[in-house]
Amino acid sequence: MEALELALRLALAAPDQKHADEMVQLAETISQGMTLEEIDAVKEEIEYKYFNRSEYYRQSIASKRRTS
């Protein structure tokens, strides 16, 4: 699951479409050995981190403050 998340994160951060396409292809290869539930969990994590970024970071900072 971690490898899939990293490939998708790299696709989102790619400097151009060629590199993004390569990472998407890698993500598709990685996902072939996974269940739909695992894939969905990774997708949800990516969507939460990247499309609700301000909320993710706010919660991360709050969590770090509580453990300090």
Side-chain angles (χ1 to χ4, degrees):
M1 289 175 65
E2 187 175 338
L4 178 59
E5 182 179 349
L6 290 173
L8 292 172
R9 288 172 59 187
L10 286 169
L12 289 170
D16 54 46
Q17 192 61 45
K18 176 183 178 263
H19 288 97
D21 291 344
E22 289 173 0
M23 288 300 101
V24 168
Q25 188 173 5
L26 177 61
E28 289 174 352
T29 301
I30 293 167
S31 69
Q32 290 177 359
M34 300 172 68
T35 67
L36 289 177
E37 290 81 13
E38 291 171 326
I39 295 167
D40 286 341
V42 172
K43 285 173 148 180
E44 287 176 16
E45 184 72 15
I46 292 290
E47 288 172 0
Y48 183 75
K49 285 181 180 177
Y50 285 89
F51 301 108
N52 297 307
R53 186 173 290 202
S54 61
E55 178 64 18
Y56 170 73
Y57 287 116
R58 186 186 67 75
Q59 288 182 2
S60 294
I61 291 168
S63 174
K64 288 178 184 175
R65 286 182 181 159
R66 278 181 261 153
T67 60
S68 297

